Each structure stands twice: as structure tokens, then as C-alpha cells.
Amino acid sequence: MLTHSYDARSTPNDGHRASKRWVVSFIATLCGMMALQMSSLGFAPVIPLIQKAFKMSYSQVGLFTGLYGILALVLSVPAGLTAKRLGEKIVLVEGIAIVALGLVILSRATDFAGALAGRIVWITGYRFAFVCVLTALAVTCPPSLRGRTMGVLGATASLATVVGAPFVGSIAQALGWRNGMLGFAGAAVLGAIIVAILYSGRSNSFSDHLSHTAANRFENSTSAFRTPRVWALALLLGLIGLPSFSVTFFVPSAAESIFGISTMSSSLIISSGYLAAIFVNLGVGYLMDRFNKWRMMGGLMTMMVLASLGMTAHNLPLFRICTVMLLAFGFAATNQGYGLAADVLRGREIGNVMGVVSLGAGVFGYIGPQALGSLRDWTGGFRTGWYVIAGICLATVAELYLLKGHIKNEVATSS
């Protein structure tokens, strides 16, 4: 009865206003992502400076960067539960504010322990905010535009890194890396303010305009924690994200030690990779909505295998090209992986889904940098690490096709 009454009052203008509301919330979500990603990957060019300031070994650099993974392992599921309980808007705003606080603490650190403390606060805020960005996207955007909206999100995150890397590199060159961290903190505060003002929350999102039947189906969906394919996607997301995430942090050190190029020059390599990722994300997002998503993902990972192998050659132009390929294709694949996860379970469980799949990304977000740092200390070079990355990309292709077959069989059995 309530449903029919609502429909009777609905007019074409209601749908138009709803459309405007989800677009505004979508733009606010993109601003939140921009604020997070400027520092998350954009700080990579100053890692050698941070390493020198605190006299870190490469294993310690792996720990410092890999804290992202450790904290994601601990916090991803709580972040999803918190987003479900309190709403994604308030958690997103507070998470970005905590990111700013962590960056300030890192900028003031006097020793390695203080730097780790700042990094812990920074990534704690990032993890809660990032899960809420994914949740906000899933509940505000039409499912028919999933690939394209995830592509736009990935392009925005790539743009943030393109801006963030030279931003911190130029500040570090003129005023020191500590002031670069303060610059990132200021950008985070601005992003939190924009989200607080513009994001209207799920009550005004696209999901409110679903039919009564569809809404009931989503509300009664299976728990994310009891769905095997959600955990399989968590493993998949971890493997997909490991190469580009790990390589981002070690490219500056590799470029400096192997080719002798400066911090600013290495920042341009990273920026080029994420500049290319803007267009790759948009193009892949469009193709994901039109063609078989699993095959598209397999193609992206295959290209990453070739790029990883190319990085082993002691040739600077080839190193640049392959780094750009690995970052661009890897970042696009990661974002589309979250898009696949958003289609598994919807409604009230979407926050938990994003928490679980982010857990997988977190596990490998720690393993990747730690493994590359340890391999560099053991072997004295980066070549072995690039081979390991290529092997991981190849294993991911295999899991993609296994998971695709499993889900296809599951759908056939249920129908």
C-alpha cells in the first residue's frame, strides 16, 4: 500500500531531481577520493628523502609503506561495519580529517618511531575513508553505469596522483619534504569540507528510487561474511592491486640507484603512469559496461605481465615505458575489481562487501612492499622483485578465469 501511494505521487520531475542528487553526491565522492589519493600514492617521490631523514634500510621502507596493508588487514571490515552503522558520509568526512592529522604528525616526527606513528594515524583515516568512498559510489550510482563510474573514480584517483607527485616533489625541492606533507594535509582538509557540504547521503541516492520488490531483495541479501565469492574477490583484489601499489613506492629508489636520476625526475615517471591511467580508466570503464568484464580484466593483467618483465631490462627509456604501463593498467584493473565486487551484494550489505574486499587489498598491500624491500636487501638489486611481480600478475590471470567459471556455474545451478 505504501509503495502504491508513493508511486501515485511520483512525477517525472522527481526522477530528474533524484538524478541531479546522485550526480552531486557522485561529484562530492570524487572530491573525497582526490583528497585521499593526492597523498596516498603522491608522496612516493619523497620516499628516498624520508628514508635518508630517518636512516631506514630498504626493509624498513617496506614496513613504512606496507603499513597500508597491515592496517587495511585490521581495519577494512570494521570500516565496512562502521559505514553501515553510522552512514558513509560522516565516516568519510572524519576519515579524511584523520588523514590530515596523520600527515601533520609525520611532518613533525624526529625519529623512525615517530614517523611510523604518523603513518599509522594517516592510514587509519585513509582506510575508513576509502571504504566509504567505495560504499558511497555503490549506493549513489546506477548499476547500469557501474563500469563507467568506477572508471571515472579511477581517473580521478589517477589525476590526484598526477597532481600530488609533482606537488610534493616541488615543495620538497624548495622547502623540504616535511612541508610537502603539510601541503597534503591542507588538501585533505579542503576535501573533507567539500564532502561535508555536497554529499547528500544514501537517503537521496539512486538506491531510494528502486522498486519496492528490488529494495526488498537487496535488503534481504545474503551476508557478505557468509558469501564465498566475496572472499574470492577479496583475494583477487589483493593480487590485482599488489603490482602497481608496490611498484609505485619503489620506482623512485630503483630509478635513483640504477639510473642515477633525481627525485623530481622519478616523480615525473610516476606522474606519467597515473596520467596515462586517467585515460586508461575511462576507456576500460566504458569497455567493461559493453563487453565481458572478466575477459577485459584478464587482458589488463596480461599487459601487466609484459610490463613487469620489461622493467628488468637495464634500459631507462624501456624502464619508463614499462613503469607507465604497469601503473596505468594496474590502477585501472584495481578500480574495476571494486566494480565487480559492488555487483555481488547490494543494499545494506554493500559496506560489508567493500570492507571484505578491501581486506584482501590490505593483506597484499603489506606483502607487496615488504617483499620488494626484502628482496632488494637480499639481492642488492630490484630485478628479482620485478620477476616476482610478473609471476603474481600471471597467477592473477589464472584466478580470474577460475573465478569466472565458478560464478558462471553457480548462476547456472541456481537458475
Side-chain angles (χ1 to χ4, degrees):
M1 292 296 292
L2 291 174
T3 302
H4 291 303
S5 175
Y6 174 82
D7 290 340
R9 295 194 303 270
S10 297
T11 67
N13 288 332
D14 293 333
H16 183 64
R17 285 193 295 268
S19 176
K20 283 186 175 180
R21 281 196 294 267
W22 87 254
V23 170
V24 172
S25 290
F26 177 57
I27 292 172
T29 304
L30 296 181
C31 291
M33 188 64 163
M34 189 86 175
L36 291 174
Q37 290 299 125
M38 272 190 70
S39 57
S40 178
L41 296 177
F43 91 110
V46 299
I47 288 177
L49 300 179
I50 296 174
Q51 180 181 10
K52 291 175 183 176
F54 300 113
K55 297 181 175 60
M56 301 183 196
S57 67
Y58 282 99
S59 295
Q60 288 177 317
V61 172
L63 173 62
F64 182 78
T65 55
L67 276 173
Y68 171 94
I70 297 175
L71 292 173
L73 174 63
V74 175
L75 298 175
S76 289
V77 172
L81 292 169
T82 305
K84 178 180 177 180
R85 182 176 179 83
L86 300 180
E88 68 278 3
K89 178 178 179 177
I90 186 170
V91 181
L92 176 55
V93 172
E94 291 180 357
I96 298 174
I98 292 171
V99 166
L101 176 62
L103 289 165
V104 172
I105 294 172
L106 174 59
S107 73
R108 303 297 94 192
T110 58
D111 54 24
F112 182 58
L116 284 180
R119 179 73 170 158
I120 288 170
V121 174
W122 171 10
I123 300 304
T124 296
Y126 177 92
R127 179 47 44 188
F128 276 84
F130 181 70
V131 169
C132 288
V133 164
L134 298 174
T135 303
L137 208 65
V139 301
T140 56
C141 298
S144 61
L145 299 177
R146 182 80 68 213
R148 275 164 279 192
T149 51
M150 283 295 176
V152 173
L153 181 71
T156 302
S158 300
L159 177 61
T161 306
V162 170
V163 173
F167 171 81
V168 74
S170 59
I171 293 178
Q173 196 167 11
L175 302 172
W177 67 267
R178 295 178 184 274
N179 286 310
M181 296 297 103
L182 291 177
F184 279 148
V189 170
L190 178 61
I193 293 172
I194 292 173
V195 173
I197 294 172
L198 295 182
Y199 187 81
S200 60
R202 70 179 70 200
S203 61
N204 291 320
S205 70
F206 173 82
S207 60
D208 283 338
H209 302 281
L210 293 168
S211 69
H212 182 67
T213 301
N216 282 341
R217 184 176 74 248
F218 292 165
E219 288 298 314
N220 295 325
S221 57
T222 305
S223 168
F225 302 110
R226 295 196 298 269
T227 305
R229 62 180 178 273
V230 173
W231 293 99
L233 280 168
L235 173 61
L236 181 66
L237 258 294
L239 292 174
I240 289 173
L242 184 152
S244 57
F245 180 80
S246 303
V247 166
T248 296
F249 292 126
F250 281 92
V251 160
S253 297
E256 182 182 28
S257 63
I258 298 172
F259 302 107
I261 66 176
S262 67
T263 298
M264 195 62 193
S265 296
S266 65
S267 73
L268 292 177
I269 297 177
I270 295 171
S271 293
S272 297
Y274 286 100
L275 180 62
I278 295 174
F279 303 101
V280 172
N281 268 288
L282 294 174
V284 169
Y286 174 77
L287 294 174
M288 289 283 284
D289 284 335
R290 291 183 60 87
F291 300 104
N292 185 284
K293 296 181 178 182
W294 298 96
R295 290 179 181 174
M296 288 295 302
M297 293 288 284
L300 288 172
M301 297 308 300
T302 301
M303 294 298 294
M304 290 169 64
V305 173
L306 300 177
S308 301
L309 293 175
M311 291 179 70
T312 63
H314 201 290
N315 180 284
L316 182 56
L318 183 60
F319 180 84
R320 290 178 185 272
I321 292 170
C322 290
T323 299
V324 169
M325 286 177 59
L326 189 64
L327 295 178
F329 289 120
F331 206 58
T334 300
N335 282 284
Q336 293 304 326
Y338 284 112
L340 292 177
D343 289 332
V344 173
L345 291 176
R346 300 175 186 167
R348 294 177 60 191
E349 285 298 312
I350 191 62
N352 289 337
V353 170
M354 292 307 174
V356 172
V357 296
S358 295
L359 176 65
V363 171
F364 288 95
Y366 168 72
I367 292 174
Q370 191 67 59
L372 281 184
S374 298
L375 286 171
R376 170 60 179 80
D377 283 340
W378 293 340
T379 65
F382 288 95
R383 180 173 294 183
T384 303
W386 306 149
Y387 281 125
V388 169
I389 293 294
I392 289 170
C393 293
L394 193 59
T396 307
V397 174
E399 193 199 346
L400 274 166
Y401 284 98
L402 288 172
L403 186 56
K404 173 191 172 185
H406 173 75
I407 291 178
K408 183 178 179 181
N409 292 335
E410 190 176 75
V411 171
T413 301
S414 62
S415 60

